[in-house]
Amino acid sequence: MASASTGSRVSCGRDLNCVPEIADTLGVVAKLGFDFLCMPLFHPRFRREFECEPAKSRPGAQTRSDLLLCGRDWNTLIVGKLSPWIAADSEVETERRNSEAALAQELNFSAYLGLPVFMIPLSGPNNANLARLLLNHIHTGHHTSNFWIRVPLMASEDMREDLIENEPATYIDDTEVDEKSWSWWHSFRTLCDYNKRICLAIEVGADMPSETVIDKWLGEPIKAAILPTSIFLTNKKGFPVLSKAHQRIISRLFKLEAQFIFTGTSQHTEKDFKSYLQYLEYLSQNRPAPDAYDLFAKGYEDYLQSPLQPLMDNLESQTYEVFEKDPFKYSQYQQAVYKCLLDRVPEEEKDTNVQVLMVLGAGRGPLVNASLRAARQADRKLRVYAVEKNPNAVITLENWRFEEWGEQVTVVSCDMREWAAPEKADIIVSELLGSFGDNELSPECLDGAQHFLKDDGVSIPCSYTSFLAPLSSSKLYNEVRGCRERDKDPESHFETPYVVRLHNFHQLAKPKPCFTFTHPTTNMNNNRYQCLRFSIGCNSVLHGFAGYFETTLYKDVTLSIKPDTHSPGMFSWFPILFPLKQPISISRDDDVTVRFWRCNNGKKVWYEWAVTEPSCSAIHNPAGRSYTIGL
C-alpha cells in the first residue's frame, strides 16, 4: 500500500477520525473502492495521563487489541494517525512531558502493529521537539515504518472565509502568506536531516497558493495528497468535480505517483461516496498520453548514473543500440548534412564534385547511414571515412561496408586525434556531445582532428553551449547522499556530476548559458570560467544545479535538451546534475551566484564549482580530486 501505485490506477485512501468497529469499517471502505484506511490508533479524545496520579495508574487497556485485524491487514491497509491533542512542543512543561510520553506510546504501538505509514500533522512553525522525538524513534527501533508529515498547502488562518459554494478557487498572491506552511515543513525536514523515511502528505485546501509556490511544493518528496470533500464543486448532474486550479495540481501529483486520501463527510449526499473516487479516476484516465521521451525515461526518474566516458572506455553494443533508437537525432543530422551538401555543391557540379565527409567516432554506423541518406536526398556525390577507436564497433562497421556501403566508405580503426588522414575533409560529422555539451570531451577531440579539415571545411555540429539552472530537490539530495563509497573520500559523491532524468524537483530559475565551443576554431584553449547570477523570487533551498545543452548542427538545424527548447521526443541525453555538499537556504530577495570552471591539465578534464551568493559554499572537486574525464 505505502508504495506508490505501479499501474495506471490511482491509489486512494479514506481518512476517518473515529472508527468504532475497525474490521467492519475496513470492509465498507474497501467496498467503496479505497485501497487503505487512515485512522487514529488511540481514541482521539482519550488524553492519557503519564505524569500525575491517580490517572497515571489507571488500569485496563489504553486502546483496542491488535487481534481485531490479521497482521497482513495492519501491514498493508492501515495508515496510523497521531492523536490531535499531542503537543510535543508545548511551552507548558507538564503538557509537553505528557505529550512526549503519549507520542512515544503511539509511535511504538504503530511499530508493534507493523504499519507501513504513520501520519503526523504540523500545525505551526515550532516543531523541534517533535522532530527530535521522531528522529530518536527512527534511530532506536528495528521497524521499517515511513512517516508522512501532514502539512496544509496554506495555513488555516490564511484561508479566505468568504468562499461561496461552487465558486472556483482563487490564487492568493501574497507570497509571505503562501509560503508559511512550506517553511514549517522545511524546518522540520532540516531538523530531521532529510531522513529518507520522513515524507510529505500535503493537504489541499479550497484556497490555492500561487503557481510559484505550488511548483516549490511539487519539488518536495510528496507521497500523498489529502483532499477534503469540501473542496469539490458540483457539476450540472450533481456529481463532485474540482476547479481548474485544483485539477492542475492533481494532474501534476499523478506524475509523482502520489497517493490520494479523501477526508470529510460527503458533500454530495444524493450521490454515492464512490463518485469522488470515480472523478479522480476519470482525471487520471484523461491525462495526455506519454511521448517517446517519457516512455523511454520510465523507471529512470531521479535515478543517478555516472556520465559516460567514451574516450577513455570502449562502449558496449547495448549502449550504442539505445542511442541508435533515438527518432529525432539522426533525422536532424541527415537534414544538416543535406543542407550542407546543397550549399557546398552547386547543381551544375553535382556529377563531378565529390565531397569528402569524415565521421569522427562512427560507433556502429548511424551517422554514416544518415550521411549517405542525405547524399541521396540531395543528389550529391560523397566519399566517406568512418573513423572509430573502439575495435569492437569497427567489426560492425566493416560488416556494414562489406554488406551495404561498398567502396564509397572507408573504415578507419584509429583514434581521430592520432589519425594521419590521406586527404583533407570538406565536412566532419561527429556525435561526441554529453549531457553538459562538452563533458565527453568533444572540444579536445575535434581540435585534435581539425588539421585534416579544409580551410573552408564545415564541422557538424558547428557549435554547442552548456546551460545551468539552480534546483531544489530533497529526493536528489538524498540520492546523492546514498552514493557514498567506502574506499573514496567521504564527500567525493557530492563532487561528482550525475546524469539523471530529473523528476521530483523544483527548478528555481530559468537556465543560463555557461560554456560555448565552436568548430572549426583558432582558439584551442578549452579551459573556461563562468560566473552566473540567478534571481530566485521565493523562499527555497538550493541543492545543486541542473545542466543542459543546445547545439547547432548546421545553420538552423539544432538539437537541444534545455527544457524550453527540448527537441521533440529526443531521449539520447538526460540532464546532468551538479550537487552541493550542503543545502543552502535562500530567501525570496536573494540572488544565487555560482562559479563554474572547466579545467584541463593535458591528461584529464574536470569541472569545479562553488556558490558565492547568498552564502559561500566550498569549492567542489578542486584539482579534480573526486571526478575527472580521461583524455
Side-chain angles (χ1 to χ4, degrees):
M1 172 249 110
S3 62
S5 53
T6 48
S8 59
R9 197 179 151 276
V10 183
S11 173
C12 293
R14 180 77 172 106
D15 174 49
L16 296 172
N17 290 326
C18 193
V19 179
E21 293 292 336
I22 186 168
D24 293 350
T25 306
L26 200 53
V28 170
V29 161
K31 204 170 179 183
L32 283 169
F34 289 101
D35 301 284
F36 58 96
L37 171 64
C38 294
M39 54 168 268
L41 299 183
F42 290 74
H43 196 288
R45 290 200 303 275
F46 178 26
R47 294 185 173 229
R48 282 96 62 209
E49 179 58 63
F50 295 89
E51 294 289 313
C52 302
E53 296 289 5
K56 179 182 175 184
S57 304
R58 181 187 291 163
Q62 300 205 328
T63 189
R64 56 194 147 196
S65 168
D66 54 322
L67 299 178
L68 292 173
L69 291 180
C70 68
R72 188 168 176 275
D73 287 352
W74 287 117
N75 294 167
T76 56
L77 302 177
I78 304 293
V79 168
K81 295 201 306 180
L82 187 69
S83 294
W85 59 268
I86 291 176
D89 285 271
S90 170
E91 291 180 7
V92 181
E93 188 179 353
T94 52
E95 187 181 1
R96 174 177 58 77
R97 284 165 59 176
N98 209 50
S99 292
E100 288 178 1
L103 175 66
Q105 184 185 37
E106 297 202 11
L107 289 172
N108 289 330
F109 194 63
S110 165
Y112 168 72
L113 294 172
L115 300 191
V117 174
F118 189 73
M119 187 146 56
I120 299 171
L122 297 187
S123 55
N126 301 318
N127 300 291
N129 198 38
L130 175 64
R132 182 187 73 85
L133 294 163
L134 177 57
L135 212 50
N136 272 259
H137 173 72
I138 289 172
H139 286 302
T140 51
H142 298 291
H143 49 84
T144 56
S145 294
N146 288 309
F147 301 90
W148 287 353
I149 309 304
R150 179 175 180 163
V151 188
L153 274 184
M154 291 187 68
S156 55
E157 64 267 27
D158 298 324
M159 301 283 259
R160 285 170 52 208
E161 291 178 5
D162 59 342
L163 277 181
I164 300 164
E165 191 183 343
N166 255 20
E167 190 179 82
T170 51
Y171 282 110
I172 309 292
D173 256 355
D174 182 349
T175 318
E176 199 143 321
V177 167
D178 268 12
E179 300 186 308
K180 191 187 286 182
S181 58
W182 178 85
S183 67
W184 305 346
W185 156 250
H186 176 51
S187 300
F188 190 85
R189 60 96 176 272
T190 305
L191 287 163
C192 294
D193 194 27
Y194 287 81
N195 192 288
K196 269 182 150 174
R197 285 165 59 186
I198 296 173
C199 301
L200 187 56
I202 55 167
E203 187 168 351
V204 182
D207 284 352
M208 299 283 279
S210 65
E211 287 282 10
T212 311
V213 175
I214 288 173
D215 287 346
K216 180 165 71 171
W217 276 114
L218 291 165
E220 300 296 349
I222 296 173
K223 291 293 183 211
I226 297 156
L227 306 177
T229 51
S230 58
I231 69 171
F232 284 81
L233 311 174
T234 308
N235 69 7
K236 288 175 184 172
K237 293 183 179 175
F239 285 99
V241 292
L242 288 169
S243 70
K244 287 278 191 285
H246 283 107
Q247 286 179 41
R248 280 198 293 275
I249 192 169
I250 297 293
S251 74
R252 294 178 67 185
L253 287 164
F254 286 147
K255 287 184 181 171
L256 292 180
E257 295 191 328
Q259 293 172 281
F260 293 88
I261 299 167
F262 289 87
T263 186
T265 55
S266 176
Q267 307 289 310
H268 301 75
T269 43
E270 69 283 4
K271 302 294 179 193
D272 192 356
F273 203 95
K274 254 187 198 168
S275 58
Y276 290 101
L277 272 83
Q278 287 163 345
Y279 177 67
L280 211 61
E281 196 60 51
Y282 163 78
L283 290 180
S284 173
Q285 298 300 333
N286 284 279
R287 285 186 280 171
D291 62 13
Y293 181 82
D294 289 331
L295 288 170
F296 175 79
K298 187 74 183 152
Y300 285 99
E301 294 90 349
D302 295 326
Y303 174 73
L304 304 180
Q305 302 174 71
S306 294
L308 290 173
Q309 297 215 13
L311 202 57
M312 203 163 69
D313 307 326
N314 287 326
L315 301 183
E316 296 172 349
S317 178
Q318 287 92 328
T319 309
Y320 288 120
E321 188 176 346
V322 168
F323 295 133
E324 286 165 16
K325 285 178 181 169
D326 197 303
F328 187 79
K329 179 171 70 171
Y330 294 110
S331 66
Q332 287 296 89
Y333 267 101
Q334 181 179 333
Q335 186 68 4
V337 174
Y338 168 74
K339 288 190 171 186
C340 184
L341 287 172
L342 289 182
D343 286 347
R344 291 183 68 82
V345 183
E347 183 70 25
E348 59 274 13
E349 294 178 22
K350 69 174 187 178
D351 294 326
T352 54
N353 186 333
V354 180
Q355 291 285 293
V356 176
L357 182 144
M358 296 176 178
V359 176
L360 306 179
R364 302 198 311 177
L367 283 183
V368 178
N369 282 318
S371 301
L372 293 174
R373 285 195 302 271
R376 285 194 296 275
Q377 183 188 355
D379 193 19
R380 300 294 187 269
K381 290 200 173 341
L382 206 57
R383 183 160 60 252
V384 178
Y385 291 86
V387 184
E388 176 53 52
K389 74 165 187 63
N390 182 348
N392 305 305
V394 167
I395 292 171
T396 313
L397 296 172
E398 290 286 9
N399 276 291
W400 269 112
R401 182 174 182 271
F402 178 74
E403 290 166 17
E404 281 206 31
W405 299 337
E407 298 300 313
Q408 190 179 2
V409 177
T410 304
V411 176
V412 180
S413 180
C414 184
D415 187 317
M416 68 185 82
R417 294 168 295 175
E418 295 159 7
W419 181 42
E423 59 182 322
K424 289 206 168 186
D426 294 284
I427 306 166
I428 55 175
V429 184
S430 62
E431 51 171 337
L432 306 167
L433 301 180
S435 296
F436 200 50
D438 58 85
N439 64 299
E440 290 182 14
L441 306 191
S442 176
E444 285 73 15
C445 292
L446 294 181
D447 288 354
Q450 191 173 302
H451 63 90
F452 50 73
L453 181 66
K454 289 178 182 172
D455 292 343
D456 68 339
V458 171
S459 169
I460 297 176
C462 62
S463 71
Y464 36 92
T465 299
S466 55
F467 289 80
L468 281 170
L471 66 76
S472 174
S473 171
S474 58
K475 172 83 166 77
L476 288 168
Y477 174 67
N478 260 329
E479 290 293 321
V480 175
R481 266 209 308 197
C483 289
R484 183 172 172 179
E485 294 178 49
R486 276 187 183 173
D487 55 335
K488 288 190 176 176
D489 182 278
E491 289 188 322
S492 66
H493 50 301
F494 277 108
E495 298 190 327
T496 302
Y498 299 92
V499 171
V500 58
R501 163 69 167 117
L502 300 172
H503 186 60
N504 188 188
F505 77 110
H506 176 213
Q507 190 169 287
L508 301 174
K510 286 187 174 172
K512 290 194 171 182
C514 190
F515 305 139
T516 296
F517 295 88
T518 56
H519 300 284
T521 182
T522 52
N523 177 14
M524 299 278 186
N525 183 345
N526 293 317
N527 290 345
R528 295 284 190 277
Y529 169 44
Q530 185 65 272
C531 173
L532 299 175
R533 180 177 271 110
F534 301 90
S535 295
I536 305 302
C538 66
N539 297 327
S540 192
V541 56
L542 178 68
H543 291 114
F545 293 85
Y548 310 99
F549 79 89
E550 284 181 345
T551 179
T552 300
L553 296 179
Y554 183 76
K555 289 191 171 174
D556 62 342
V557 185
T558 60
L559 296 174
S560 171
I561 65 163
K562 192 157 73 85
D564 56 339
T565 58
H566 201 293
S567 303
M570 186 175 73
F571 54 69
S572 282
W573 296 275
F574 289 155
I576 199 164
L577 169 70
F578 292 93
L580 292 176
K581 295 179 197 177
Q582 296 296 331
I584 295 175
S585 286
I586 301 164
S587 299
R588 79 173 65 85
D589 302 323
D590 288 340
D591 280 351
V592 167
T593 300
V594 65
R595 293 161 195 274
F596 253 80
W597 294 265
R598 185 186 196 270
C599 311
N600 178 337
N601 68 359
K603 292 180 182 173
K604 48 199 176 187
V605 173
W606 68 93
Y607 300 103
E608 299 176 18
W609 61 97
V611 173
T612 52
E613 277 185 290
S615 59
C616 269
S617 72
I619 292 175
H620 290 59
N621 197 33
R625 69 178 177 188
S626 300
Y627 172 79
T628 57
I629 313 151
L631 275 165

